Amino acid sequence: MAGKAHHTDATRMLDTRGYSGPTIHNTNPLHLLETPVRDRITESYYWKEQCFALNAATLCDKASSLTYIGGTYGQQKPTPFLCLLFKLLQLLPEKEIILLYLRQTEFKYLTALAAFYVRLTFEATEVFKVLEPLLGDWRKLRRRTREGGWRVDYMDQFVDDLLVKDRVCATSLRKLPNRMILEDLGQLDVRISPLGEEIEDIDREEEEVIEVNGNENGHETDRSD
């Protein structure tokens, strides 16, 4: 009975006739996921049995027990990761709560879930500001592939996908403006790569090796003369 009521509640929010609730990017938040994906989520066992009566606090507990990311797999079955994203879109927690999810360091799949939600719901400038620090996060993530298999991803790779791709985890993403345009408009500072210093050190070492080799070759030429 509870699962049926939960399904009815989601269906009511999805009804486009006279929808007057909160909007994200001028649309019903649940419509940020495509219709076939929404239908598969609301019909799934995980949604009906595990997402019922979740609030921002209990969803945090549920997300903390996630063991992989992914969209749909096999016969278009939605992952728990995608179901919880849909639940977040239904709950629309305060921004501060999402940032707490994102910045805690104990549960990496909760961080990944919050990053996905940020990409879907925040404005472009905020997306870059909030997600780019995670490009220095190299924690491993287990991903369920579309074919139903498994592969290893990394947090920085997942976040980079969110920033540059137009589809991630069976979800179409709004196109972000080019970062350089936002820099030119003064909305973003020029980004300094976390690898910048390491790259400079490597370049410096290569220059030193070239210089040493050049000196050695010069000495050998002198001796042969």
Side-chain angles (χ1 to χ4, degrees):
M1 183 69 179
K4 184 176 180 180
H6 180 49
H7 181 272
T8 301
D9 183 52
T11 303
R12 188 182 302 115
M13 274 194 73
L14 286 167
D15 192 346
T16 58
R17 296 169 296 179
Y19 176 77
S20 59
T23 61
I24 299 290
H25 307 315
N26 299 317
T27 191
N28 180 336
L30 297 186
H31 289 180
L32 295 174
L33 299 189
E34 297 158 8
T35 301
V37 175
R38 299 196 306 257
D39 291 344
R40 292 183 183 104
I41 289 173
T42 56
E43 291 296 336
S44 70
Y45 172 83
Y46 187 89
W47 174 261
K48 293 176 181 178
E49 299 298 326
Q50 302 297 319
C51 296
F52 175 70
L54 289 179
N55 56 35
T58 54
L59 186 144
C60 177
D61 294 336
K62 186 69 68 176
S64 298
S65 66
L66 288 172
T67 57
Y68 60 92
I69 63 173
T72 58
Y73 64 96
Q75 298 299 314
Q76 300 301 303
K77 183 178 179 180
T79 60
F81 182 78
L82 196 60
C83 291
L84 290 181
L85 174 70
F86 191 65
K87 188 64 181 181
L88 277 178
L89 292 171
Q90 188 181 51
L91 293 173
L92 296 179
E94 295 293 330
K95 185 178 295 185
E96 291 73 17
I97 292 176
I98 295 298
L99 294 178
L100 283 174
Y101 289 175
L102 186 87
R103 291 167 180 163
Q104 58 75 39
T105 57
E106 187 174 358
F107 303 107
K108 58 187 177 182
Y109 292 103
L110 177 58
T111 297
L113 181 66
F116 203 177
Y117 181 86
V118 167
R119 175 63 176 88
L120 275 177
T121 63
F122 283 26
E123 295 300 328
T125 302
E126 286 185 302
V127 169
F128 283 109
K129 288 181 178 179
V130 171
L131 295 189
E132 282 183 341
L134 291 173
L135 294 174
D137 186 338
W138 302 302
R139 286 178 291 178
K140 289 182 179 180
L141 295 174
R142 194 168 177 235
R143 180 191 283 267
R144 192 82 189 238
T145 67
R146 186 170 52 186
E147 295 76 21
W150 302 96
R151 80 166 192 246
V152 175
D153 270 358
Y154 295 84
M155 186 71 75
D156 64 319
Q157 180 183 347
F158 176 64
V159 171
D160 187 64
D161 286 348
L162 291 175
L163 292 174
V164 303
K165 292 187 175 181
D166 56 11
R167 191 170 182 81
V168 175
C169 292
T171 304
S172 294
L173 304 175
R174 284 198 325 151
K175 185 175 178 60
L176 290 173
N178 187 289
R179 196 190 193 287
M180 292 184 65
I181 294 176
L182 297 178
E183 291 176 11
D184 292 340
L185 292 173
Q187 296 179 15
L188 287 176
D189 294 331
V190 176
R191 180 172 179 267
I192 300 175
S193 170
L195 297 176
E197 291 185 4
E198 293 183 26
I199 293 173
E200 288 179 4
D201 289 341
I202 292 172
D203 289 342
R204 193 178 303 112
E205 289 175 3
E206 289 179 348
E207 289 174 0
E208 291 173 354
V209 169
I210 292 172
E211 183 178 347
V212 168
N213 289 340
N215 290 337
E216 289 178 350
N217 289 338
H219 291 155
E220 290 176 1
T221 302
D222 292 340
R223 285 195 294 271
S224 64
D225 290 344

